């Protein structure tokens, strides 16, 4: 029965329009990583990202010049090609927001370059502009070179302080690759994220704002950049009648079948964004009266998050039932159905983990059939990046210890919100 169904963090939701596009691809034998759906999906994305909302309440406008979009096999591939197109080479450094999912940072390593991590400011939880400038100057002093690119991340959909970040990036002539994988449709001052920097990354993985099952896109500033990215995405072929290669390319173009799903999903994108914001508003209203429990909100009128995930923080003195008993056992399965976790944990604890009350709340919600998850563990706290330069202020590490993600998205309706809220209230003693 629907009432007892598990409430997941964020799950793909079909519009009903996807199959027509997929059937067309089969009928016309376009079962390849190019074709009418890929072109159509890219057009839909371009129409969406180029639209400006007017802050003065007039009828809005268009970005000038209009951005172009390349559809790719994953958001991770989009980050990678953004860096390649910025000329990131072995031995270079790239500044990456530390508070993120690993896919913002790993492609730097694919380039043979080094991620340099920068901590967050407490308002948006994203890249701290003051620390960013400090990091740029310190890297220049230590290595003799400026970093090759800057990657701010719209964590959980929340916009970064892009006006200040762009001002600093422009001062030092460093290109910005916006990681808006979680922030598709979020806006800053009415402008869609991913259209401020040189490149913008989108993801259409199964758990993101819209899905193509797996996929991503790179927003490019102009026709010339678009051509370059398209060329790198299709194995960097020179135009001869035979295969001729002068540079290393990648096989990153989106499949025409996946793009068919994307075209169907674009018909409900605005509905999805509206719904995520509505879920956030319900949590803000229904969880307002719990002392020590704080929803993360838009920190100012410039910010317009898509609220891909709704997040909250727990004061360390908030008591949650069972908090004395957490972290006693080594976890053997995948927490919350995370796919592909095949490396079993070797210890029950690590040297940097969420507070006991946060883990107790996660476990209590899990027992009530509600999937919750800790905030993303900052990259500078990850063993794999232990030797990387990091410019930190304690903000992201603290947020990781006190924060939690709550279910959002099209499957979370009035009844599901009521269940999540009552499970939270029941767990807090
Ligand atoms: C999901 C995600 C990506 C990568 O997207 P995939 O499509 O899963 O490869 C990149 N950055 C962030 C912050 C993400 O959450």
């Amino acid at each position: 029965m629907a009432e007892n169904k598990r409430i997941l963090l964020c799950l793909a939701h079909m519009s009903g329009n996807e199959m027509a596009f997929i059937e067309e691809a089969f009928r016309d034998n376009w079962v390849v990583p190019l074709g009418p759906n890929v072109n159509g999906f890219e057009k839909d994305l371009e129409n969406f990202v180029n639209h400006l909302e007017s802050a003065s309440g007039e009828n809005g406008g268009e970005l000038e010049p209009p951005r172009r979009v390349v559809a790719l096999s994953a958001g991770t591939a989009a980050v990678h090609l953004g860096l390649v197109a910025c000329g990131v080479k072995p031995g270079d450094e790239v500044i990456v927001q530390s508070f993120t999912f690993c896919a913002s940072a790993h492609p730097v390593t694919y380039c043979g370059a080094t991620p340099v991590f920068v901590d967050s400011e407490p308002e948006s939880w994203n890249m701290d502009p003051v620390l960013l400038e400090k990091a740029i100057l310190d890297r220049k002093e230590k290595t003799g070179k400026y970093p090759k690119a800057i990657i701010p991340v719209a964590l959980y959909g929340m916009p970064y302080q892009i006006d200040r970040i762009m001002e600093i990036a422009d001062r030092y002539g460093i290109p910005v690759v916006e990681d808006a994988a979680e922030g598709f449709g979020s806006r800053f001052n009415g402008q869609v994220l991913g259209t401020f920097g040189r490149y913008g990354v989108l993801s259409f993985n199964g758990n993101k704002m819209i899905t193509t099952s797996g996929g991503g896109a790179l927003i490019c500033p102009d026709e010339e950049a678009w051509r370059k990215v398209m060329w790198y995405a299709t194995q960097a072929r020179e135009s001869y009648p035979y295969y001729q290669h002068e540079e290393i390319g990648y096989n990153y173009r989106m499949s025409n079948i996946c793009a068919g799903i994307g075209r169907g999903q674009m018909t409900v994108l605005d509905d999805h964004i509206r719904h995520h914001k509505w879920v956030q508003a319900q949590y803000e209203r229904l969880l307002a009266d719990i002392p020590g429990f704080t929803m993360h909100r838009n920190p100012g009128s410039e910010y317009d998050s898509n609220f891909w995930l709704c997040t909250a923080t727990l004061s360390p003195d908030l008591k949650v039932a069972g908090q004395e008993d957490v972290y006693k056992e080594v976890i053997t399965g995948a927490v919350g159905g995370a796919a592909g976790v095949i490396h079993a944990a070797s210890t029950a604890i690590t040297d940097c983990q969420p507070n006991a009350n946060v883990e107790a709340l996660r476990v209590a919600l899990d027992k009530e059939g509600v999937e919750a998850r800790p905030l993303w563990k900052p990259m500078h706290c990850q063993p794999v990046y232990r030797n990387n330069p990091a410019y930190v202020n304690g903000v992201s590490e603290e947020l990781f210890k006190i924060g939690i993600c709550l279910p959002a998205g099209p499957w979370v309706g009035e009844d599901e919100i009521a269940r999540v809220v009552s499970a939270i209230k029941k767990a807090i003693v």
Side-chain angles (χ1 to χ4, degrees):
M1 267 182 28
E3 226 180 311
N4 294 323
K5 250 172 88 177
R6 227 178 121 70
I7 304 172
L8 298 176
L9 219 47
C10 186
L11 197 62
H13 180 270
M14 292 302 112
S15 69
N17 303 321
E18 289 81 4
M19 280 314 288
F21 291 110
I22 294 172
E23 275 165 12
E24 195 178 293
F26 272 85
R27 198 187 54 230
D28 299 338
N29 207 25
W30 278 108
V31 188
V32 281
L34 80 168
N37 282 337
V38 181
N39 299 337
F41 185 42
E42 286 170 341
K43 272 282 154 290
D44 291 346
L45 291 168
E46 285 172 3
N47 288 339
F48 182 86
V49 303
N50 283 308
H51 182 73
L52 294 169
E53 269 174 9
S54 170
S56 59
E58 287 156 27
N59 285 332
E62 301 288 323
L63 271 189
E64 200 58 60
R67 303 269 160 161
R68 300 291 319 269
V69 174
V70 182
L72 300 167
S73 56
T76 310
V79 177
H80 190 186
L81 285 193
L83 295 172
V84 168
C86 286
V88 175
K89 295 266 159 44
D92 287 336
E93 292 187 337
V94 172
I95 291 187
V96 183
Q97 178 170 321
S98 183
F99 200 23
T100 188
F101 180 62
C102 64
S104 312
H106 287 355
V108 177
T109 311
Y110 304 164
C111 293
T114 303
V116 171
F117 296 112
V118 166
D119 214 329
S120 294
E121 36 81 10
E123 272 86 49
S124 75
W125 296 4
N126 295 320
M127 186 178 278
D128 182 343
V130 176
L131 267 186
L132 166 65
E133 185 157 31
K134 199 174 147 209
I136 292 170
L137 293 173
D138 196 55
R139 296 326 294 165
K140 173 77 166 107
E141 191 177 312
K142 291 211 164 81
T143 68
K145 292 197 296 189
Y146 284 118
K148 267 305 203 24
I150 299 168
I151 308 182
V153 183
L155 208 62
Y156 312 116
M158 183 62 73
Y160 20 71
Q161 294 185 3
I162 191 62
D163 50 352
R164 297 182 63 196
I165 291 170
M166 285 310 298
E167 188 191 311
I168 294 163
D170 290 345
R171 189 177 311 147
Y172 299 99
I174 306 172
V176 170
V177 178
E178 292 177 69
D179 184 346
E182 299 176 4
F184 186 26
S186 296
R187 289 178 159 88
F188 190 86
N189 281 334
Q191 186 174 332
V192 173
L193 295 191
T195 62
F196 292 88
R198 179 150 336 151
Y199 293 101
V201 169
L202 301 176
S203 166
F204 316 115
N205 209 334
N207 56 357
K208 294 282 163 73
M209 224 42 211
I210 61 163
T211 187
T212 57
S213 67
L218 193 64
I219 305 172
C220 305
D222 50 37
E223 187 75 18
E224 192 190 337
W226 178 82
R227 284 180 170 280
K228 179 157 79 172
V229 169
M230 189 67 83
W231 180 73
Y232 277 123
T234 50
Q235 301 287 30
R237 298 178 208 172
E238 305 298 334
S239 37
Y240 291 89
Y242 41 87
Y243 291 133
Q244 174 84 3
H245 300 284
E246 294 171 14
E247 272 196 61
I248 299 294
Y250 305 86
N251 181 12
Y252 278 169
R253 199 90 207 282
M254 180 178 277
S255 138
N256 196 50
I257 304 301
C258 295
I261 306 175
R263 289 179 90 180
Q265 289 275 287
M266 284 304 282
T267 64
V268 289
L269 173 62
D270 287 329
D271 293 338
H272 281 201
I273 295 170
R274 207 173 307 119
H275 187 83
H276 280 252
K277 291 180 182 179
W278 175 82
V279 172
Q280 167 75 13
Q282 303 314 302
Y283 284 139
E284 286 184 12
R285 186 168 60 83
L286 297 166
L287 294 167
D289 56 348
I290 308 173
F293 187 96
T294 311
M295 290 303 297
H296 181 38
R297 300 159 174 251
N298 282 316
S301 58
E302 323 85 292
Y303 296 85
D304 180 12
S305 174
N306 63 9
F307 289 106
W308 171 60
L309 290 185
C310 301
T311 56
T313 52
L314 278 67
S315 155
D317 49 22
L318 184 77
K319 290 269 172 299
V320 176
Q323 68 181 49
E324 303 77 18
D325 302 321
V326 296
Y327 293 129
K328 294 275 163 67
E329 283 168 41
V330 175
I331 292 176
T332 49
V335 176
V341 182
I342 52 167
H343 262 202
S346 55
T347 58
I349 58 166
T350 66
D351 58 3
C352 175
Q353 62 188 19
N355 290 339
N357 61 351
V358 172
E359 174 62 3
L361 181 60
R362 186 192 69 75
V363 171
L365 291 177
D366 187 57
K367 285 189 182 131
E368 299 286 329
V370 175
E371 183 192 11
R373 195 174 284 184
L375 300 187
W376 302 177
K377 183 168 178 168
M379 290 304 119
H380 74 271
C381 303
Q382 298 286 359
V384 72
Y385 287 124
R386 73 171 78 75
N387 296 323
N388 288 59
Y391 296 80
V392 300
N393 54 18
V395 170
S396 65
E397 189 169 342
E398 175 66 9
L399 286 169
F400 171 60
K401 288 176 179 164
I402 65 174
I404 194 159
C405 301
L406 301 175
W411 295 98
V412 180
E414 208 122 20
D415 293 348
E416 287 74 22
I417 289 168
R419 272 179 60 199
V420 175
V421 168
S422 93
I424 291 171
K425 292 192 168 171
K426 188 173 147 197
I428 291 171
V429 293

